[in-house]
Amino acid sequence: MAEIRLEKLTKHFDEVRAVDGLDLVAEHGSFIALLGPSGCGKTTTMNMIAGLERPTAGEIYFDDFPVSGLGPEKRSVGFVFQNYAIFTHMTVYENLAFGLRMRKPRPPKDEIDREVRAVARTVGLSEQLERRVTRLSVNDLQKAALGRSMIVRPAIFLLDEPFSNLDASFRAYMRAELKRIQHEIGQTMVYVTHDQVEAMGMADRIAVMDRGQLQQYGTPDELYNRPENRFVANFIGSVLNNFLPVVPEASGAGVVVRVTGTGSKPIDVSDRKVPLAERAGAGLPLTLMVRPEKVRLVGPDADEALVRGSITAIEPLGATDVIHLRLDGADIRSVARPDAPLRVGDNVGIAFEAADVHLFDDETEHAIR
Ligand code: ATP
């Protein structure tokens, strides 16, 4: 086990700031995800942790020991990549045993055998040990790649989109398996993905990156319920999130917002701090975000309806339906049970709680709490 600490970690490729002043701590035995869109610098960060890429500036510490000057072989890091690091001419057994056989001094045969069988059990390949890897399914191939990295017990485990070649149901299975394995072996894991569902489901903490910079580092719950900026709010969530322009207004001692151009009822946001009151005075616009699963559909004339809209499409996802709604000047989405009596063209009232409203400054894109 080891703690990983990144301090002002930076990598430039000529003009491109692939990673820009990244500060991050992955505690001993924790499972963290690097999450962000393509090109945000996830892989470059991973390669620097592994020692495959030298930082332009900043430092990486493993348990307070600076490692930037060390080659990859000196770092006790195990990798699993999207392209399986597997020897295709060997059996599963030989692949698993490889890391131990390369050790100097080489461990005794029976010890290697014990370890190979234990790891095969952990990753679920006990029945396949004598198979050549060319005869394995894509799914088992990735299990073999995982087992091969695990067997040498690296202090740190790095996984770069390891499941992206797997089919959807097996990917879900492997996510749960990996979480179980991580819990069992207790090693620090860093997992790179652009898939927020994957990150949210597995990681203890997630580092959301955009254009080489850290946007927020927090637990799945923090990212979902307390996004620090508009980018994070938008990136987290399985259905396209709802962003609406609003104008703050002073109301008695407090502040309310109304959705622009829809004749909306006021939403009391007096619990949000300082800049709101100033903004209300100046009438400066803000952006409101409410997650689709927090939007309720009620009768168009119901008291709780904040705005009215109409249903433009219903997208069935199986367990739920995504309801697409048009307001006066904006489109939003809600989530409903498939048996809800809703039809395209229905006029509905749209309700949500003030507590579920996130507000963002239009200039800085930071959350106003
Ligand atoms: P993806 O999910 O597509 O792999 P990523 O988030 O892992 O994306 P990186 O691969 O780290 O992003 O790339 C970050 C930026 O650095 C991109 O703009 C990329 O084009 C650039 N980059 C990465 N490696 C190099 C390189 N060897 N030479 C030049 N530019 C590079």
Side-chain angles (χ1 to χ4, degrees):
M1 285 209 285
E3 177 191 90
I4 307 169
R5 195 166 84 245
L6 311 182
E7 278 186 7
K8 300 266 168 290
L9 190 65
T10 299
K11 179 74 188 180
H12 295 172
F13 296 105
D14 300 323
E15 301 297 292
V16 180
R17 292 165 174 253
V19 177
D20 202 8
L22 189 58
D23 288 317
L24 203 69
V25 177
E27 289 169 8
H28 288 285
S30 66
F31 192 147
I32 76 152
L34 301 181
L35 173 69
S38 184
C40 73
K42 306 180 292 290
T43 296
T44 305
T45 303
M46 202 70 135
N47 287 345
M48 288 192 282
I49 298 174
L52 302 175
E53 202 82 75
R54 254 189 114 82
T56 309
E59 185 56 83
I60 301 163
Y61 298 88
F62 290 175
D63 284 338
D64 294 328
F65 187 79
V67 297
S68 290
L70 299 182
E73 69 292 348
K74 301 248 171 67
R75 293 194 188 189
S76 186
V77 164
F79 318 97
V80 184
F81 294 113
Q82 186 177 334
N83 308 323
Y84 334 96
I86 267 293
F87 298 122
T88 48
H89 59 287
M90 292 182 186
T91 63
V92 172
Y93 189 102
E94 288 162 342
N95 264 285
L96 294 184
F98 182 80
L100 297 179
R101 287 180 176 158
M102 285 298 115
R103 271 220 176 121
K104 290 188 189 114
R106 190 193 243 204
K109 217 171 162 191
D110 58 336
E111 191 183 316
I112 295 180
D113 189 66
R114 243 192 339 268
E115 287 290 316
V116 167
R117 290 179 193 281
V119 166
R121 255 195 315 279
T122 304
V123 297
L125 282 180
S126 296
E127 306 299 315
Q128 320 267 18
L129 279 172
E130 299 312 322
R131 280 205 165 193
R132 285 199 176 277
V133 294
T134 43
R135 314 219 27 205
L136 292 182
S137 67
V138 172
N139 299 341
D140 285 344
L141 210 51
Q142 195 53 296
K143 288 183 184 173
L146 195 60
R148 229 192 73 153
S149 308
M150 259 171 69
I151 203 155
V152 292
R153 298 176 194 266
I156 290 165
F157 233 104
L158 304 178
L159 300 103
D160 195 343
E161 310 245 14
F163 304 147
S164 51
N165 287 340
L166 309 184
D167 57 64
S169 60
F170 195 75
R171 203 156 60 223
Y173 167 77
M174 278 307 277
R175 285 206 290 263
E177 276 297 281
L178 184 63
K179 202 169 161 152
R180 180 187 64 75
I181 290 169
Q182 195 265 346
H183 195 73
E184 195 176 304
I185 63 181
Q187 272 145 316
T188 312
M189 276 200 190
V190 184
Y191 189 98
V192 161
T193 180
H194 64 274
D195 179 348
Q196 57 96 22
V197 175
E198 204 160 273
M200 296 284 278
M202 288 194 296
D204 300 318
R205 300 188 83 194
I206 301 170
V208 182
M209 296 178 67
D210 183 36
R211 284 171 288 175
Q213 293 183 340
L214 184 66
Q215 301 297 311
Q216 187 168 355
Y217 184 43
T219 63
D221 178 65
E222 283 163 351
L223 298 183
Y224 182 83
N225 290 310
R226 294 176 69 79
E228 277 172 15
N229 60 38
R230 204 182 147 137
F231 180 85
V232 175
N234 190 30
F235 205 77
I236 302 294
S238 46
V239 178
L240 207 56
N241 285 304
N242 299 315
F243 289 90
L244 293 165
V246 293
V247 182
E249 295 166 22
S251 165
V255 181
V256 297
V257 292
R258 287 176 203 270
V259 180
T260 342
T262 53
S264 97
K265 288 189 192 151
I267 305 162
D268 190 345
V269 289
S270 305
D271 57 337
R272 314 301 152 101
K273 295 291 179 271
V274 192
L276 261 190
E278 293 163 14
R279 298 213 143 221
L284 290 172
L286 302 167
T287 298
L288 174 154
M289 190 279 273
V290 58
R291 300 208 182 270
E293 51 276 29
K294 303 290 187 188
V295 172
R296 281 180 295 121
L297 301 185
V298 296
D301 298 317
D303 277 353
E304 49 188 332
L306 294 167
V307 282
R308 286 183 191 168
S310 62
I311 298 178
T312 54
I314 297 179
E315 185 189 343
L317 297 182
T320 54
D321 285 354
V322 179
I323 314 296
H324 295 256
L325 301 147
R326 173 140 314 145
L327 313 184
D328 181 10
D331 289 334
I332 68 165
R333 285 142 298 268
S334 154
V335 178
R337 289 167 48 145
D339 58 0
L342 299 169
R343 286 217 218 119
V344 172
D346 284 356
N347 288 317
V348 291
I350 289 154
F352 41 82
E353 303 304 319
D356 293 326
V357 159
H358 302 264
L359 292 175
F360 298 98
D361 186 311
D362 278 0
E363 270 167 42
T364 64
E365 303 203 336
H366 287 158
I368 297 174
R369 296 234 169 86

